[in-house]
PDB file of all heavy atoms in Angstrom:
ATOM      1  N   ALA S 419      22.441  11.698  23.565  1.00 98.00           N
ATOM      2  CA  ALA S 419      22.666  12.696  22.512  1.00 98.00           C
ATOM      3  C   ALA S 419      21.658  12.520  21.378  1.00 98.00           C
ATOM      4  O   ALA S 419      21.219  13.503  20.769  1.00 98.00           O
ATOM      5  CB  ALA S 419      24.096  12.601  21.984  1.00 98.00           C
ATOM      6  N   SER S 420      21.259  11.272  21.070  1.00 98.00           N
ATOM      7  CA  SER S 420      20.244  11.049  20.021  1.00 98.00           C
ATOM      8  C   SER S 420      18.919  11.659  20.446  1.00 98.00           C
ATOM      9  O   SER S 420      18.233  12.316  19.661  1.00 98.00           O
ATOM     10  CB  SER S 420      20.022   9.547  19.781  1.00 98.00           C
ATOM     11  OG  SER S 420      21.186   8.927  19.341  1.00 98.00           O
ATOM     12  N   PHE S 421      18.566  11.416  21.701  1.00 98.00           N
ATOM     13  CA  PHE S 421      17.306  11.952  22.234  1.00 98.00           C
ATOM     14  C   PHE S 421      17.334  13.484  22.175  1.00 98.00           C
ATOM     15  O   PHE S 421      16.380  14.113  21.716  1.00 98.00           O
ATOM     16  CB  PHE S 421      17.113  11.465  23.679  1.00 98.00           C
ATOM     17  CG  PHE S 421      15.907  12.035  24.345  1.00 98.00           C
ATOM     18  CD1 PHE S 421      14.666  11.431  24.185  1.00 98.00           C
ATOM     19  CD2 PHE S 421      15.997  13.189  25.118  1.00 98.00           C
ATOM     20  CE1 PHE S 421      13.533  11.977  24.793  1.00 98.00           C
ATOM     21  CE2 PHE S 421      14.879  13.736  25.715  1.00 98.00           C
ATOM     22  CZ  PHE S 421      13.645  13.125  25.552  1.00 98.00           C
ATOM     23  N   ASP S 422      18.435  14.077  22.608  1.00 98.00           N
ATOM     24  CA  ASP S 422      18.544  15.542  22.635  1.00 98.00           C
ATOM     25  C   ASP S 422      18.498  16.123  21.220  1.00 98.00           C
ATOM     26  O   ASP S 422      17.827  17.126  20.971  1.00 98.00           O
ATOM     27  CB  ASP S 422      19.854  15.975  23.309  1.00 98.00           C
ATOM     28  CG  ASP S 422      19.847  15.683  24.805  1.00 98.00           C
ATOM     29  OD1 ASP S 422      18.757  15.449  25.362  1.00 98.00           O
ATOM     30  OD2 ASP S 422      20.937  15.667  25.411  1.00 98.00           O
ATOM     31  N   THR S 423      19.211  15.478  20.296  1.00 98.00           N
ATOM     32  CA  THR S 423      19.273  15.972  18.918  1.00 98.00           C
ATOM     33  C   THR S 423      17.892  15.971  18.263  1.00 98.00           C
ATOM     34  O   THR S 423      17.563  16.858  17.491  1.00 98.00           O
ATOM     35  CB  THR S 423      20.244  15.085  18.108  1.00 98.00           C
ATOM     36  OG1 THR S 423      21.563  15.402  18.532  1.00 98.00           O
ATOM     37  CG2 THR S 423      20.153  15.319  16.620  1.00 98.00           C
ATOM     38  N   LEU S 424      17.089  14.965  18.598  1.00 98.00           N
ATOM     39  CA  LEU S 424      15.794  14.828  17.922  1.00 98.00           C
ATOM     40  C   LEU S 424      14.627  15.327  18.776  1.00 98.00           C
ATOM     41  O   LEU S 424      13.467  15.011  18.511  1.00 98.00           O
ATOM     42  CB  LEU S 424      15.612  13.380  17.462  1.00 98.00           C
ATOM     43  CG  LEU S 424      16.658  13.033  16.374  1.00 98.00           C
ATOM     44  CD1 LEU S 424      16.784  11.538  16.163  1.00 98.00           C
ATOM     45  CD2 LEU S 424      16.329  13.727  15.059  1.00 98.00           C
ATOM     46  N   SER S 425      14.967  16.102  19.814  1.00 98.00           N
ATOM     47  CA  SER S 425      13.945  16.771  20.629  1.00 98.00           C
ATOM     48  C   SER S 425      14.165  18.279  20.538  1.00 98.00           C
ATOM     49  O   SER S 425      15.258  18.733  20.212  1.00 98.00           O
ATOM     50  CB  SER S 425      14.095  16.407  22.117  1.00 98.00           C
ATOM     51  OG  SER S 425      13.951  15.037  22.340  1.00 98.00           O
ATOM     52  N   HIS S 426      13.121  19.021  20.869  1.00 98.00           N
ATOM     53  CA  HIS S 426      13.306  20.458  21.077  1.00 98.00           C
ATOM     54  C   HIS S 426      13.304  20.694  22.583  1.00 98.00           C
ATOM     55  O   HIS S 426      12.409  20.216  23.287  1.00 98.00           O
ATOM     56  CB  HIS S 426      12.159  21.238  20.423  1.00 98.00           C
ATOM     57  CG  HIS S 426      12.084  22.657  20.894  1.00 98.00           C
ATOM     58  ND1 HIS S 426      13.141  23.539  20.758  1.00 98.00           N
ATOM     59  CD2 HIS S 426      11.101  23.356  21.526  1.00 98.00           C
ATOM     60  CE1 HIS S 426      12.805  24.699  21.272  1.00 98.00           C
ATOM     61  NE2 HIS S 426      11.569  24.612  21.746  1.00 98.00           N
TER      62      HIS S 426
END
Side-chain angles (χ1 to χ4, degrees):
S420 298
F421 176 86
D422 291 344
T423 287
L424 294 164
S425 299
H426 165 58

